[in-house]
Amino acid sequence: QMFSMSNLKPGDTDAGCIVVSYAGSLPATVRLYGTTGGTGLDQYLSLVVTRGSFGTAPAFDSCSGFAADATDYTGAGAGVVYTGTLRGFADDYTGGLVDPTSPSPESWTTGETHVYRFQVTQQDDNAAKGLSATQTFTWEARNS
């Protein structure tokens, strides 16, 4: 579990980081997508996914030492690969996020590693009261 938030108030935020490594033997296109559950809070949670690196990787989910990639991939800031709501995040491989590096989509090779920071913020909307959300993120590699 990367993070768990309860009793949210408008503006509450949390972040978690994860190191993703590819161990396949053939080059692959890797996409990130998610599965959402809950009772509708996902439309009131802002999500920012940033690609970057660590100098030395800390324990899982800590973002201590995280450095965003310098590239402004999407026009939303250094390293940002997604910014939107949790509801708007892709639900399957076909719509999943592809690393926006050149060439795009990038083919990951054996031993390739990237770090991603996920930041979730509760929006200021009374309609979010009493709702819940869960999200499972999946990286899927397919031979390219």
Side-chain angles (χ1 to χ4, degrees):
Q1 180 169 309
M2 202 175 325
F3 44 82
S4 176
M5 301 167 72
S6 58
N7 299 318
L8 296 175
K9 300 179 299 299
D12 282 357
T13 189
D14 197 3
C17 287
I18 188 168
V19 177
V20 180
S21 298
Y22 177 64
S25 60
L26 299 172
T29 299
V30 178
R31 295 186 184 205
L32 168 62
Y33 59 93
T35 304
T36 306
T39 60
L41 183 62
D42 56 332
Q43 65 187 313
Y44 304 107
L45 294 174
S46 297
L47 173 65
V48 178
V49 181
T50 306
R51 181 177 155 167
S53 61
F54 286 125
T56 303
F60 169 68
D61 106 324
S62 172
C63 291
S64 177
F66 176 82
D69 287 353
T71 304
D72 185 351
Y73 298 115
T74 63
V80 174
V81 294
Y82 177 81
T83 183
T85 63
L86 193 58
R87 176 171 281 179
F89 195 75
D91 295 326
D92 58 27
Y93 181 86
T94 303
L97 291 177
V98 177
D99 276 334
T101 58
S102 183
S104 186
E106 176 190 6
S107 286
W108 288 32
T109 57
T110 304
E112 190 163 342
T113 300
H114 298 286
V115 179
Y116 295 87
R117 178 180 62 206
F118 292 77
Q119 182 174 337
V120 175
T121 303
Q122 170 67 51
Q123 297 173 5
D124 188 0
D125 192 318
N126 286 335
K129 186 177 179 180
L131 300 177
S132 67
T134 60
Q135 181 76 16
T136 301
F137 294 101
T138 302
W139 280 265
E140 183 176 335
R142 293 188 183 178
N143 180 263
S144 51

